[in-house]
Amino acid sequence: MKLIIHGGFFSESEQSSEIKLAKQNSLKNIARLAFEYLQHHSAFDAVAYAVSLLENDPLYNAGIGSQIQSDGIIRMSAAIMDGETQKLSGVINIQGVKNPIEVAKKLIIEDDRVLGGVGAKNYAMENGFENFSTEIPQRRKEYNEKLKSNGKGTVGCVAIDKNGKLAAATSTGGKGFEIPGRISDSATVAGNYANPFCAVSCTGVGEDIVSNATATKIVTRVTDGMTLENAFQKTFEELKAIDGFAGVIAIDNHGNIYHANSYPTMVFASFDGKNFEVFH
Ligand code: ASP
């Protein structure tokens, strides 16, 4: 049993700030809580739980604290993938719910498993979710000041459970100031992918991650026999060739974890019941 979570990137201005410290502490706490949960639940349930805790913390750009888009509205995207069944479900540009990842998880039982916009919101309302504003004053301030705060604070989790099953979950408020209707990588197989061999969650510039097919490539390479490290190396070389910006966490079916970022400002934490690794 093991898991690794990420809290996206922090901006240069946060390099040595209180926010960075707060993010490190929050990640450590959430990694511990999610690991405890993983002891009695599947990887699929645990990645959703971890991501919902991350969504509930306004430090990150997902759920509460999501970025505001160019028209002043918050739209969120999230996806979850079960490595065993290889089913992905997700919501794209959903508004007014507290935990997009929980709506994504609920959709796993449906035939229509990725819903967008109003349809996603309607589905949430019909399935017991409450109307909830995820806006925090800080984001409105940034928006009002037209500060494009880099928008890199998406969250994600990949885990292996006691039966060796893998899962991945990712949630985002987008990149901030995007054209309404933009679709990020987070609810696609480029940003969130898992199968019985490997599970991956990405953060960074969605367009780069989609162009590079990052999560899918890493999982496929590991499935075909590459080590995690080699799969990352090759995929990041290809990302570099398009000047891509991404951070990635992964776990394989032997419980190996790996992470990399094209700019070293991603925050993440891993926990295996004994050892914490907390970065940046
Ligand atoms: N990948 C997200 C997007 O492009 C942003 C992020 O990871 O911070 O919307």
Side-chain angles (χ1 to χ4, degrees):
M1 271 183 307
K2 209 180 264 186
L3 61 80
I4 176 165
I5 60 176
H6 73 78
F9 286 85
F10 57 89
S11 63
E12 297 301 320
S13 60
E14 287 170 18
Q15 287 274 4
S16 55
S17 72
E18 279 166 32
I19 295 178
K20 190 173 123 183
L21 204 67
K23 278 186 178 170
Q24 287 171 340
N25 288 335
S26 153
L27 283 173
K28 202 168 167 182
N29 193 30
I30 291 173
R32 189 179 48 76
L33 288 171
F35 185 81
E36 279 166 19
Y37 190 87
L38 180 63
Q39 285 176 310
H40 309 288
H41 295 86
S42 66
F44 180 75
D45 287 337
V47 294
Y49 178 67
V51 168
S52 72
L53 295 179
L54 291 158
E55 288 176 337
N56 292 345
D57 190 328
L59 281 172
Y60 308 105
N61 171 26
I64 297 170
S66 288
Q67 298 281 340
I68 297 172
Q69 304 192 342
S70 60
D71 58 351
I73 291 172
I74 294 170
R75 297 176 184 84
M76 300 164 288
S77 298
I80 184 163
M81 187 152 180
D82 184 343
E84 191 189 9
T85 60
Q86 295 180 56
K87 282 184 179 169
L88 176 136
S89 56
V91 289
I92 294 177
N93 288 329
I94 192 169
Q95 295 179 38
V97 295
K98 187 178 176 196
N99 291 112
I101 196 68
E102 295 295 347
V103 185
K105 186 181 175 204
K106 187 107 196 163
L107 278 161
I108 201 82
I109 54 163
E110 306 289 351
D111 289 335
D112 304 338
R113 288 193 292 275
V114 183
L115 300 184
V118 177
K121 177 71 187 279
N122 289 344
Y123 178 85
M125 295 298 101
E126 283 158 17
N127 283 278
F129 291 86
E130 281 172 16
N131 215 13
F132 187 92
S133 169
T134 53
E135 182 178 318
I136 57 169
Q138 174 66 18
R139 293 288 184 261
R140 184 57 61 181
K141 197 167 150 245
E142 286 163 3
Y143 177 77
N144 288 339
E145 288 167 3
K146 296 242 181 267
L147 271 182
K148 204 169 174 176
S149 70
N150 285 341
K152 297 170 186 88
T154 291
V155 300
C157 178
V158 294
I160 183 164
D161 62 25
K162 55 178 180 292
N163 300 315
K165 309 268 193 276
L166 302 172
T170 308
S171 181
T172 189
K175 65 177 185 179
F177 282 86
E178 56 264 74
I179 299 172
R182 169 188 179 264
I183 291 169
S184 81
D185 60 295
S186 304
T188 75
V189 293
N192 188 84
Y193 198 62
N195 74 5
F197 299 90
C198 184
V200 171
S201 168
C202 300
T203 179
V205 175
E207 286 71 7
D208 297 348
I209 295 165
V210 168
S211 304
N212 179 245
T214 308
T216 320
K217 274 184 184 170
I218 291 174
V219 170
T220 306
R221 284 174 171 152
V222 171
T223 304
D224 291 346
M226 263 194 197
T227 62
L228 265 185
E229 190 176 349
N230 289 345
F232 264 73
Q233 203 181 344
K234 186 152 178 50
T235 307
F236 269 77
E237 269 165 25
E238 291 161 352
L239 187 70
K240 204 171 165 200
I242 58 165
D243 195 24
F245 186 119
V248 183
I249 56 171
I251 194 160
D252 70 14
N253 59 349
H254 304 295
N256 298 310
I257 54 171
Y258 207 80
H259 57 85
N261 40 172
S262 52
Y263 292 82
T265 58
M266 185 171 78
V267 279
F268 71 91
S270 67
F271 190 50
D272 61 5
K274 283 190 218 106
N275 301 309
F276 270 120
E277 238 199 312
V278 183
F279 272 90
H280 286 116

